[in-house]
Amino acid sequence: MNPCNLNQLGITREAPWAVGHFNIHNQEFIRAVVQAAESERSPAILAVGMMSVKYMGLQPLISACQSISRETEVPIAVHLDHARDLDTVKQALELGINSVMFDGSSLGFEDNVEKTTKVVQMAHDCGATAEGEIGIVPHGTASVSQAEMTDPALAVEFAERTGVDFLAVSLGSVHGMKSAGTSLDQSLLQRLHEQIPVPMVLHGASGVIDDQITMAVENGIRKINVNTGLKVVLKSYLSSRLIEQPESDLLEDLEKGIEAVAGSVSARMRLFGSSNRA
Ligand code: 13P
């Protein structure tokens, strides 16, 4: 059955839980996510982002996700994150990826609709799912301006015209936060949930406080994207391990690092309500 697309993970617009999207950068991260999914009996998404493609290459990364996810029974999707051009989407689909996100958030509305519609058609032709974005989730700024947040009327029009399976919205989170301190506009989220016909996605979840994540799931978020928080866990684990046990074997260090990341992924699965849903 593995790997699957996002519709095969059991998430629906109505179900009161969200699936975790975890950005992976190499084999250690992939194994950590799959290990956590198995121990939590939770579906999960292995997400291939553009920085990791630059680091490891599209084909080696997708292929590692596919072969490791085939070894487990819990549903795992392999998903392309934040593609900004159609060529990358095409290449990933040719490599058999199960889901793609096209990020047209920096484009004008009509351009975003046109390119996302193409991505949806390309994905659906291959049996894959497609995510689009409306509103802007910035990188590394302290706050999100009102103009960057998702406009409900535009979001409904965007979802209907493009046919996306999942829609990323901007509610106040920011990409790349190393610790959590951000709150979300929950009343905007409630309005969006009433009107948007497809499940919604929260990007930049590393910076969002746990209570706000719980409320976001209650208010309609069904996919939660985590990247930076997991890198922080591995880096901080390895830096203390290298000081405390300088003579240890590197493979043992990495094995323990995988366990540390898996612990953090498991905690997030419980927070998102996806544990025991597989
Ligand atoms: P963070 O790096 O802030 O967790 O964001 C992840 C994300 O949204 C990937 O699409």
Side-chain angles (χ1 to χ4, degrees):
M1 130 177 128
N2 276 327
C4 14
N5 69 33
L6 299 194
N7 287 336
Q8 294 165 327
L9 297 176
I11 333 151
T12 64
R13 191 184 165 284
E14 285 72 32
W17 61 279
V19 68
H21 149 139
F22 302 102
N23 283 77
I24 50 78
H25 318 285
N26 57 20
Q27 186 154 165
E28 282 70 30
F29 281 95
I30 301 171
R31 285 179 52 207
V33 174
V34 171
Q35 202 169 299
E38 283 176 338
S39 67
E40 290 299 315
R41 303 298 312 161
S42 167
I45 299 167
L46 297 171
V48 175
M50 294 307 121
M51 268 173 78
S52 315
V53 168
K54 204 167 159 203
Y55 171 69
M56 205 175 134
L58 190 64
Q59 192 276 334
L61 207 46
I62 291 178
S63 162
C65 290
Q66 289 167 332
S67 60
I68 295 174
S69 64
R70 271 188 207 114
E71 286 165 18
T72 184
E73 302 270 296
V74 289
I76 306 281
V78 185
H79 173 81
L80 185 69
D81 194 27
H82 287 288
R84 290 181 190 267
D85 64 89
L86 301 194
D87 271 355
T88 310
V89 171
K90 186 167 171 275
Q91 278 175 45
L93 289 168
E94 281 168 1
L95 291 165
I97 204 155
N98 314 92
S99 186
V100 289
M101 183 226 178
F102 178 72
D103 179 357
S105 60
S106 58
L107 306 173
F109 182 74
E110 287 301 327
D111 208 6
N112 191 5
V113 168
E114 189 192 317
K115 293 205 168 73
T116 305
T117 305
K118 279 195 189 130
V119 168
V120 171
Q121 281 161 1
M122 286 158 68
H124 288 180
D125 285 348
C126 300
T129 39
E131 175 183 333
E133 176 161 334
I134 191 82
I136 294 172
V137 179
H139 280 261
T141 51
S143 62
V144 182
S145 70
Q146 203 57 41
E148 290 171 320
M149 296 231 195
T150 299
D151 175 271
L154 283 181
V156 172
E157 185 181 339
F158 184 83
E160 284 171 353
R161 284 177 60 192
T162 58
V164 285
D165 302 290
F166 281 73
L167 183 62
V169 291
S170 172
L171 304 164
S173 62
V174 172
H175 286 106
M177 306 290 278
K178 292 201 167 75
S179 60
T182 309
S183 291
L184 303 172
D185 187 337
Q186 300 285 348
S187 67
L188 171 61
L189 175 56
Q190 285 169 344
R191 274 187 289 141
L192 292 169
H193 187 49
E194 277 163 20
Q195 297 174 46
I196 295 175
V198 295
M200 286 181 292
V201 181
L202 174 68
H203 280 247
S206 298
V208 180
I209 54 181
D210 285 2
D211 286 358
Q212 287 287 310
I213 296 269
T214 304
M215 279 174 78
V217 174
E218 282 166 13
N219 289 329
I221 288 292
R222 297 292 173 255
K223 171 176 176 285
I224 301 180
N225 291 17
V226 181
N227 180 12
T228 312
L230 300 184
K231 284 180 170 168
V232 168
V233 168
L234 186 58
K235 189 166 172 177
S236 106
Y237 178 81
L238 288 178
S239 22
S240 36
R241 169 110 181 160
L242 295 182
I243 292 166
E244 283 157 22
Q245 304 200 37
E247 300 305 324
S248 62
D249 186 277
L250 176 64
L251 295 188
E252 236 177 80
D253 302 335
L254 290 173
E255 205 62 60
K256 297 275 181 203
I258 291 172
E259 278 170 34
V261 176
S264 176
V265 171
S266 292
R268 286 183 158 93
M269 287 169 165
R270 293 193 286 274
L271 179 67
F272 303 165
S274 70
S275 297
N276 299 313
R277 304 270 182 188

